[in-house]
Amino acid sequence: MDPECSQLLPALCAVLADPRQPMADDTCLEKLLDWFKTITEAGSSLLLLQENPCLVELLCHVLKPQDLSSRVLSFSLRLTGVFAAQEDCFQYLQQGELLPRLFGEAGPLGGAAWTAPTVRSGWIQGLRSLAQHPSALHFLADCGAVDTIFSLQGDSSLFVASAAGQLLVHILSLSMRGLAEGPPGLQADDWPPCAQKIVGHIEESLRSTATPQITQALNVLTTTFSHCHDPWTQVLWVRLHPLVAALLEKDPVPAAHSLVDLLLSVARSPGLSSSSCGLWETLAQTVSHLSPTQAGLLALGILKLQDCPQALRAQAFAVLLQPLACVLKATAQGPGPSGLLDSTAADSVTADMLPPSKAACVGLLCRTLAHLELLLPLPQRPCPWPQVPLLGAAVTLLQLCGGSGSPASDAGRQLCALLLGCVRVQRAALDFLGTLSQETGPPELVTQVFAVLLEYLRSPDSSPTVLKKAFQATFRWLLSSPRTPGCSDLDSDAVLFLRELLPVLQKRLCSPCWEVRDSSLEFLTQMTRRWGGQAGFRHALLASEVPRLTEQLLRDPESYVRASAVTAMGQLSSQGLCVPSAGPEHPGGQQKSLLGELLHILSADSEGFPRRAVMQVFTQWLRDSHADVVGDTEQFVAGVLQVAGQDLDWEVRAQGLELALVFLEQTLGLSRSHCPYAVTPPVAAPAGPLTQALQSLCRVRLFEFAFRALFDCDRPVAQKSCDLLLLLRAKTASSSSLQEPRSSPDVASVEAALQRWRAGDQAQPLGDLEPEVVLAVLRSMDLEGLRGALAESSDHVEKSPQSLLQDMLATVGIRGENEADCY
Amino acid sequence: MKLYCLSGHPTLPCNVLKFKSTTIMLDCGLDMTSTLNFLPLPLVQSPRLSNLPGWSLKDGSAFLDKELKECSGHVFVDSVPEFCLPETELIDLSTVDVILISNYHCMMALPYITEHTGFTGTVYATEPTVQIGRLLMEELVNFIERVPKAQSASLWKNKDIQRLLPSPLKDAVEVSTWRRCYTMQEVNSALSKIQLVGYSQKIELFGAVQVTPLSSGYALGSSNWIIQSHYEKVSYVSGSSLLTTHPQPMDQASLKNSDVLILTGLTQIPTANPDGMVGEFCSNLALTVRNGGNVLVPCYPSGVIYDLLECLYQYIDSAGLSNIPFYFISPVANSSLEFSQIFAEWLCHNKQTKVYLPEPPFPHAELIQTNKLKHYPSLHGDFSSDFRQPCVVFTGHPSLRFGDVVHFMELWGKSSLNTVIFTEPDFSYLEALAPYQPLAMKCIYCPIDTRLNFIQVSKLLKEVQPLHVVCPEQYTQPPPAQSHRMDLMIDCQPPAMSYRRAEVLALPFKRRYEKIEIMPELADALVPMEIKPGISLATVSAVLHTKDNKHVLQPPPRPAQPSGGKKRKRASEDIPDCKVLKPLLSGSIPVEQFVQTLEKHGFSDIKVEDTAKGHIVLLQEAETLIQIEEDSTHIICDNDEMLRVRLRDLVLKFLQKF
């Protein structure tokens, strides 16, 4: 500890020990504790206590009967634990009887302070830090802490209860670590007393009839098996396994959720050889005993396991598929298997296996869909994957929800009434359908998929979120539709679909609901980016009103929509899909070019999103050498930088630097591939001599923009500018033609101006700069130093322990006045 | 209690309820779908329509070619459009005491009933209902009268000929009762029989029943009705809405505890959600106008149009449509827009509060002020000089058979840039469009029907819990086109009773009580005796006096003083003999205790059997049977009077006497 802090510490301890000066802000206490942890991790705690007697005094003081705040008490308990984690310090504190007084019956445990959850939590965390060595185990046994921890498992505060469970696991693991000769036998006598006590308690809880107790025991075991992988855990499982299995015989199975967690954590534990301890049998039993709503998560967990017997996987998969099999069965036109389950399992499925209440049924279906969606991309997913029936089920669900399904059976009709218009199922099924696009399906089913997607896109009743998902799913299915290898074009069916889709898109672009307009534009952008160069797509799009409607949305009242319209128009224009507007809005008026329109948005739009979008479009245009830009690139860049430099939104300014960087790279003839294996494209135009390039940069006033950004009050902007200037300096360093004496009057005046800028006075412009002057200024600046300073987090100065101590002392003095601000 | 069902149209009901001594007609809706069988009436001579080929029978006989014309495979009657009236033969309509009107759409048949059936009663309706109803009738009469048609086809109605016609003419029902439109004079006369009422106002009918209108939330002044006596309550729910649109919200609480709830006027398009449809309407409108096309909205001059204008008011600026003119053309356009602003007390809370600011409750006032919305009585006159395209036109009639809409269909039908958007749910849009085929114009169907859907009905029924529900038969099964949609029907317990046109239903409850007043002096003379805590009884001798459906118990006339032979004899004839009455018995016999008592008194071998009405106690040894029922006890024994009296006394021990 540095001497400054040592000096402040006694005063701080005095403040903490004074009940008349309560700490208002416990985040300081957390920071203080963190600081002590770092100190003790680096050095000896004993030494620390000896050098700073005020700390022990504080801990002793806390024990006196007084009105001390529960926060400080909790803090002291945790601090003691941090110190006592080292065995020599533990002994030192033991000598002073401090530990039993703090953690034993005589301490806060018996007092009024114990009613505060924060004190109980501090007690547990203190013990958790302290329990690191064998002496601690003896101490725990002597002071009877373990029994208290047992009771705290059922604490009213969830944090305390959960921490108590974790502490038990920690103590169990610590006491088992002490065993010299391998894992213990199954006999209780072989186990260390402390471990035996805990395991005995778990056994007792598992035999209990009260569900909360069973849940606590299962949670402790779950944590044990997920964190400890030593050989003794296998013995523990063999010992407890019969009790866990016995839970399955109860009806209903108690604490099913915790049981599932436990079994999965056992199955995942590398310390256990699953085949030898009957785990697979228990899992199989559990899967068959639990109700479909409870078994789904377990089934998913089983299917994610790497080395699981095939039969169990099949069983789990059947459980996972069962709700969808019920749906298919309920809506099947005729008898016969749906193909989702094998014939024996399929026969036992009936439609009434789905919960009769709407909430339960919807919940089950959504979970099932989500589980299957998670499973699909995994390498260990079941094989063969029932793609066709799953597609069928997703389509059926969507039809039922949308009201277009026509089930023949009563069960189907009931299901239809339950799911009709259910947005949750619609969203889940659309997500799932989108994920299924990774695989193919028979053409007639794919036709059905597109039909149901179109139905959703068309339906006036589709909620905005459902519509967004429908757009996403449609895009994914369109992506997957070309089946010719190596060909990215849309196939003819997809083009036909597009002809039906575009009128829908047109209508959606005119929706009174802005979310709908927004997601329609995003969808259009995605499609154009992907197929903008493809003849079928171009033809269909140009024949529709979509480009013109998109152009009109640049003037939408909602800023998000304007931003999306900017992006979409940028994309359309890049692909040459823009149509000059001749709508009723501009009767006879002068037609604005898109570039002009976007520049207008950049300079005049009151919201940040559209302006950011414009900057992104411009950057992309510059990168792609867009026709509107190539004509007079310098004028374009100069204009954009001038507007962007004055923007109040830092993201716009940062994006301006990105544009500047692209221009700089193009001017200097740098290739921009970050990937070392990428093929470097041939540079379009060979870069002219460096002087010419720099003159071009000067003409567009790139330096003025970059220097201004260097002193930007928003750190990301300054960082970006710093990087840009560093790159420029590196690229020009090698060139000797521009070496000029540093001390010309121009250089001095620019440096002086930059000094003023740095101080915050950015009123004065730099004026026209010469390349030589710029380079000289660049060389003289400490850009590396600036980059280092910017890389520090903004509070690095205030983060020192000394300032923490000072702050804490200072706040005590003024606490009374601004109590309300503490939250 | 009986219900006579005169209309088969679930949203244009006409029922007659006989309740106590009153005959009450509930609504008199006019089914105008019959006009779809007729050719449109063009305002301006239409060469296309006048040159349509006549229709001839398969055998080539062409005697109908003057009456029937063929257009794109459909056959239409070339005549003045006619309407399908409510049934007039099922019940003598001159006996109807009152007519209760629930909303302005459900009174369009009123002149036919009040002017041609000998009706002498009163019609009750709220003020906005009458005023807007008058506008609708005025518009209808105007539409039809301003295009006089010489011809009135009747040959085709001959039953033998009708059989030979193609569908849908062949299947048209009751064509012989179809009538031409009424005149303005008949309208005025009919409306003069209306008495205005306010929500929750109680109206006594002959002292027998009380009727009360309640807000139904569907349209300006729309009402449901409560018809109740002292002990019975019938609710009539017609055209109600739970959505927040412009009218006052629906009063549900007052419908509770009904014996019978008659439920009509649910949404005609249960699968279309009004919010989604309004969105659809706006999108398609904007899409068309942005492409330089015109939008035609066939509509009624009141109702949904107010909500549509309000939506557009919020939408047009954001959609960049501020320069597009909106035209509202109807002979009553001006009155409709102005009336809507003055009925503040009938509007929803939000709109009511605006009036105090003071601001017009509907934003269409601002649209008119800023010249964005212009209204004209007809397309002749000012309109033709102001007309600018592209534009949006709201005009009637939604059937597309008469009114200015016919002209716009002819004018704009040829261009695919234009769009007709159907928002009124009353007519099938495909049938409405049939005489305009082939049509290049785009057609969009976004029916906006804010009336209750089946989910709302099931919630409503759970809430108000009527003992019985009566509804049109269409509501008791899913629509034929969507037979799997079990959710599109009324689901309640006990199942709803259904009715169809020309059916008479006996409503399933018996009247059991009647309120009778007791004169104070008679009440004074009563001597109540408490037979159970809280229940006292007294015997009363009085004369029941009934007048104007009110019943009063009056003290009996005093017996005349005995004063001589002849007179005395006559007096004894007048006054009923007051015999010494046996005490009255009350209470019930607890069977188990009764059996114990019997055993105590020496009877053995006792068996008890339960019957539908009570118990039979069998004394097998004595060959005697005691029948105990709710209101009688019989002792059947074989000529053993002693035994009977003993048993009777045992029975009497359990009963109270007074």
Side-chain angles (χ1 to χ4, degrees), chain B residues 10-11 263-267 454 471-478 488-491:
Chain B
T11 30
L263 185 60
T264 66
L266 304 188
T267 175
F454 289 97
C471 65
E473 62 174 346
Q474 290 92 331
Y475 297 161
T476 56
Q477 61 224 14
L488 301 185
M489 57 182 272
I490 290 180
D491 180 22

Side-chain angles (χ1 to χ4, degrees), chain A residues 402-407 413-414 416-417 420 458-461 503 506-512 517 545 548-549 552-553 555-557 583-585, chain B residues 271-280 282-284 286-287 289-292 315 317-321 323-324 390 482-488:
Chain A
S404 66
S406 47
R413 282 189 277 269
Q414 267 165 13
C416 183
L420 205 76
R458 266 189 195 141
S459 165
D461 292 334
Q506 264 168 222
K507 194 181 73 188
R508 293 298 185 185
L509 287 174
C510 298
S511 167
R517 299 197 297 273
E545 297 296 329
R548 226 154 40 74
L549 291 170
Q552 288 173 1
L553 289 178
R555 294 172 288 278
D556 197 274
E585 265 106 293
Chain B
T271 50
N273 161 23
D275 283 339
M277 285 300 147
V278 169
E280 196 78 354
C282 291
S283 308
N284 283 299
L287 190 59
V289 176
R290 283 180 182 174
N291 289 338
Y315 178 65
D317 284 334
S318 73
L321 302 177
N323 299 323
I324 304 297
Q482 290 157 304
S483 55
H484 68 285
R485 292 287 297 265
M486 305 299 281
D487 56 318
L488 301 185

Side-chain angles (χ1 to χ4, degrees), chain A residues 56 335 386 499 569 618 698 748:
Chain A
V56 178
R499 296 237 168 91
M569 280 311 285
F618 282 164
C698 287

Side-chain angles (χ1 to χ4, degrees), chain A residues 22-85:
Chain A
M23 271 291 142
D25 180 7
D26 51 3
T27 54
C28 307
L29 293 176
E30 292 293 331
K31 286 181 190 164
L32 202 59
L33 204 65
D34 286 344
W35 176 53
F36 278 116
K37 269 187 203 156
T38 13
I39 296 178
T40 54
E41 274 162 17
S44 160
S45 308
L46 185 58
L47 210 60
L48 181 72
L49 291 190
Q50 284 166 345
E51 283 172 359
N52 299 286
C54 61
L55 288 170
V56 178
E57 278 166 32
L58 170 69
L59 300 181
C60 292
H61 186 81
V62 165
L63 289 167
K64 291 181 188 158
Q66 60 189 322
D67 217 4
L68 202 59
S69 91
S70 52
R71 284 176 191 155
V72 175
L73 188 52
S74 171
F75 166 77
S76 308
L77 288 165
R78 291 164 69 190
L79 187 63
T80 314
V82 169
F83 293 144

Side-chain angles (χ1 to χ4, degrees), chain A residues 509 514 517-525 528 546-573 578 594 597-598 601 605 609-611 613-614 617 621, chain B residues 290:
Chain A
L509 287 174
W514 72 262
R517 299 197 297 273
D518 196 46
S519 40
S520 310
L521 286 169
E522 282 172 3
F523 176 66
L524 173 66
T525 310
T528 314
V546 169
R548 226 154 40 74
L549 291 170
T550 310
E551 197 265 336
Q552 288 173 1
L553 289 178
L554 289 175
R555 294 172 288 278
D556 197 274
E558 182 62 47
S559 66
Y560 297 112
V561 180
R562 288 199 301 277
S564 299
V566 166
T567 314
M569 280 311 285
Q571 194 63 45
L572 285 173
S573 167
C578 270
L594 181 61
E597 183 115 27
L598 294 188
I601 292 177
D605 202 298
F609 302 106
R611 302 199 308 265
V614 169
V617 166
W621 280 7
Chain B
R290 283 180 182 174

